[in-house]
Amino acid sequence: AQSVTQLDSQVPVFEEAPVELRCNYSSSVSVYLFWYVQYPNQGLQLLLKYLSGSTLVKGINGFEAEFNKSQTSFHLRKPSVHISDTAEYFCAVSKSGGSYIPTFGRGTSLIVHP
Amino acid sequence: DGGITQSPKYLFRKEGQNVTLSCEQNLNHDAMYWYRQDPGQGLRLIYYSQIVNDFQKGDIAEGYSVSREKKESFPLTVTSAQKNPTAFYLCASARTGGTGELFFGEGSRLTVL
């Protein structure tokens, strides 16, 4: 079975500062990795995904994430955040070649202060 | 535009009443999912369906029922047996044989009074 741990439930940061949201996973097989963003009272939308190839993945809104197989991590980063980045962020993992039902982390609330 | 439509967006019901949440997709996806979201608990899988006329229980299926009579539709019924139904419900879909990337609807917030 696979699992996902988002190490911080809440991350406060000032506008224009860099941010890192941490995600660790466990799986005995190869995986696909995802980050989703959820704005208040809305559904989730995909920020970025790692399927294969380059371990540095770029997504929408200036976010990027790095897949580290040895540390089983997939941390999300942005060099300079905006107020509009305030949202809930979810990391998810699914087995490659499996039933494709993803497992989600509990989410990290990013709060950007002016 | 292709996407997933959930309705209603907000729903209030009295305790003991069954409630049905609608989910329709025009993405031609085979797989559809229902998740429940509570503050601080992330997303919990209620039911999923990978093909028409077939569905499987997720982690928290008790008190819920679904049907999958059409590829486009996957309604969720919250029954009176669900002990704590007040929550935000999310429907999602995915391509079978894909990567596990999910496409989500806008959600339905159910409040039981």
Side-chain angles (χ1 to χ4, degrees):
Chain A
Q2 60 218 27
S3 67
V4 178
T5 302
Q6 290 185 241
L7 295 153
D8 305 293
S9 60
Q10 203 172 82
V11 173
V13 64
F14 286 107
E15 195 173 17
E16 297 183 7
V19 71
E20 179 180 81
L21 306 184
R22 297 179 293 167
C23 173
N24 285 91
Y25 70 93
S26 67
S27 177
S28 57
V29 298
S30 296
V31 296
Y32 300 130
L33 294 155
F34 308 86
W35 275 101
Y36 293 86
V37 61
Q38 183 184 33
Y39 300 104
N41 290 312
Q42 294 186 23
L44 280 68
Q45 62 184 84
L46 185 71
L47 265 182
L48 49 78
K49 59 188 174 186
Y50 171 79
L51 304 180
S52 65
S54 172
T55 58
L56 184 62
V57 180
K58 293 191 183 296
I60 62 172
N61 300 341
F63 283 93
E64 63 181 32
E66 184 151 22
F67 170 55
N68 188 318
K69 188 174 181 179
S70 62
Q71 297 188 6
T72 60
S73 68
F74 190 55
H75 300 334
L76 181 71
R77 301 186 183 102
K78 186 169 182 178
S80 175
V81 295
H82 301 128
I83 295 285
S84 59
D85 292 322
T86 295
E88 192 83 13
Y89 292 80
F90 291 93
C91 182
V93 60
S94 72
K95 289 193 295 185
S96 60
S99 63
Y100 311 112
I101 299 171
T103 300
F104 285 83
R106 291 195 166 200
T108 297
S109 179
L110 175 63
I111 303 168
V112 181
H113 298 285
Chain B
D1 287 336
I4 299 181
T5 301
Q6 288 187 240
S7 62
K9 177 75 173 173
Y10 298 95
L11 186 60
F12 296 87
R13 279 293 181 267
K14 291 182 180 179
E15 206 170 310
Q17 289 182 327
N18 290 358
V19 167
T20 297
L21 307 180
S22 170
C23 178
E24 303 277 333
Q25 56 102 356
N26 61 4
L27 298 168
N28 200 34
H29 286 168
D30 288 308
M32 296 187 74
Y33 308 81
W34 274 105
Y35 288 91
R36 171 178 171 143
Q37 186 177 20
D38 297 283
Q41 295 200 45
L43 276 65
R44 293 184 289 169
L45 184 64
I46 305 172
Y47 268 99
Y48 65 98
S49 167
Q50 295 186 311
I51 196 169
V52 174
N53 292 323
D54 187 51
F55 48 83
Q56 308 295 328
K57 292 182 179 179
D59 302 317
I60 57 164
E62 185 175 348
Y64 299 97
S65 66
V66 294
S67 62
R68 187 83 187 280
E69 297 176 2
K70 298 187 301 181
K71 186 175 184 177
E72 301 80 16
S73 179
F74 192 41
L76 174 74
T77 297
V78 184
T79 76
S80 56
Q82 168 49 234
K83 293 178 182 175
N84 185 17
T86 294
F88 191 56
Y89 292 89
L90 286 160
C91 180
S93 70
R95 288 189 301 113
T96 303
T99 62
E101 177 184 347
L102 297 186
F103 295 77
F104 285 85
E106 290 289 293
S108 293
R109 185 167 297 282
L110 172 63
T111 302
V112 175
L113 306 171

